[in-house]
């Protein structure tokens, strides 16, 4: 596609529910990143894939967070048993490997009640 | 380890006057540095990047930034602000491989008529 596509754009979940956020990167981009952006703050790194391999997941805040990219293209970020502190915008970005220039999607805004 | 400090959380200027958004960085590597802009409900967009070539970097929409190693700074400037420049600006430092981006806390630029 022309850009990075994320869905859903908005998600409201009750505390304790599981959610899944989808990212469709730019075609041919090997690298894929997930970031979490809390209100009024800069994005914080969650995890990084190169093709289907998850090379870095040091930013995932707890074992309730899980990301996958099984075929090296679309990625899903799953949050189990959501908590209020998980409320944030989740940003996906893709790039050519090592370019440093990330192309971001518009994000998925998660609100946990 | 790497980090970025954006010295002002909010900057307000009048239309037609100069813009200065300040950024200091810390990096164990020879850094790559970026400025991204985020308009409301839009994805992050790359303004410009420094990758050890010319220290004065020109970006889109008339913005430029100067890399000063002695001051560990990468301030963003524009000679004349437009109303359309009102947005959140993020200074970003990259690791040596260009994969891990660390964002500053952001500066919200307001432009008054």
């Amino acid at each position: 596609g022309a850009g990075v596509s994320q869905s859903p754009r908005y998600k409201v979940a009750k505390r304790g529910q599981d959610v899944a956020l989808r990212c469709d990167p730019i075609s041919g981009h090997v690298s894929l990143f997930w970031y979490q952006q809390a209100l009024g703050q800069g994005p914080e790194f969650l995890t990084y894939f190169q093709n289907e391999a998850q090379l870095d997941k040091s930013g995932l805040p707890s074992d309730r967070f899980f990301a996958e990219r099984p075929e090296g293209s679309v990625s899903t970020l799953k949050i189990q048993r959501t908590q209020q502190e998980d409320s944030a915008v989740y940003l996906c970005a893709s790039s050519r490997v090592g370019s440093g220039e990330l192309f971001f999607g518009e994000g998925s805004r998660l609100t946990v009640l | 380890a790497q980090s970025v400090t954006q010295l002002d959380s909010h900057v307000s200027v009048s239309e037609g006057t100069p813009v200065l958004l300040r950024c200091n960085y810390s990096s164990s590597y020879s850094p790559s540095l970026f400025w991204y802009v985020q308009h409301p409900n839009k994805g992050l967009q790359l303004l410009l990047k420094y990758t050890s070539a010319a220290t004065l970097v020109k970006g889109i929409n008339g913005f430029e930034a100067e890399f000063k190693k002695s001051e560990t700074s990468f301030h963003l400037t524009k000679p004349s602000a437009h109303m359309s420049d009102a947005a959140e600006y993020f200074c970003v430092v990259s690791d040596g491989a260009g994969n891990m981006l660390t964002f500053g806390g952001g500066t919200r630029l307001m432009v008054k008529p």
Side-chain angles (χ1 to χ4, degrees), chain A residues 9-10 31 33 35 37 40-45 48 50 56 58 91 95-107 109, chain B residues 6 32 34 36 38 41-46 49 51 88 90 92-106 108:
Chain A
R9 290 290 314 279
Y10 303 92
S31 300
F33 303 80
Y35 282 81
Q37 186 175 19
Q41 297 183 21
E44 294 196 357
F45 172 80
Y48 160 59
Q50 191 168 314
D56 189 336
S58 62
L91 298 169
S95 76
R96 291 180 294 276
V97 69
S99 77
E101 179 177 354
L102 271 57
F103 293 82
F104 283 84
E106 294 184 344
R109 182 179 297 275
Chain B
Q6 291 184 243
S32 293
F34 308 80
Y36 280 81
Q38 188 175 38
N41 298 315
K42 298 287 187 182
L44 286 153
Q45 181 184 18
L46 180 68
K49 65 178 178 180
T51 54
E88 187 91 18
F90 293 96
V92 183
V93 63
S94 168
D95 70 0
N99 295 323
M100 170 75 78
L101 297 191
T102 300
F103 283 73
R108 181 166 297 278

Side-chain angles (χ1 to χ4, degrees), chain B residues 21 33-35 48-50 54-59 62-68 73-78:
Chain B
L21 305 183
L33 294 158
F34 308 80
W35 277 96
L48 50 80
K49 65 178 178 180
Y50 164 78
T55 56
L56 182 62
V57 182
K58 294 187 183 297
F63 285 94
E64 61 183 38
E66 186 172 7
F67 173 70
K68 291 187 176 180
S73 70
F74 190 57
H75 301 332
L76 182 70
T77 60
K78 182 173 180 177

Side-chain angles (χ1 to χ4, degrees), chain A residues 30-76:
Chain A
V30 168
S31 300
L32 185 145
F33 303 80
W34 284 99
Y35 282 81
Q36 180 191 57
Q37 186 175 19
L39 188 65
Q41 297 183 21
E44 294 196 357
F45 172 80
L46 292 177
T47 186
Y48 160 59
F49 290 85
Q50 191 168 314
N51 294 307
E52 69 278 4
Q54 190 174 21
L55 298 187
D56 189 336
K57 55 180 181 179
S58 62
L60 296 176
S62 78
D63 59 7
R64 296 187 295 105
F65 287 71
F66 172 76
E68 61 182 5
R69 193 185 185 197
E71 298 179 357
S73 178
V74 171
S75 177
T76 304

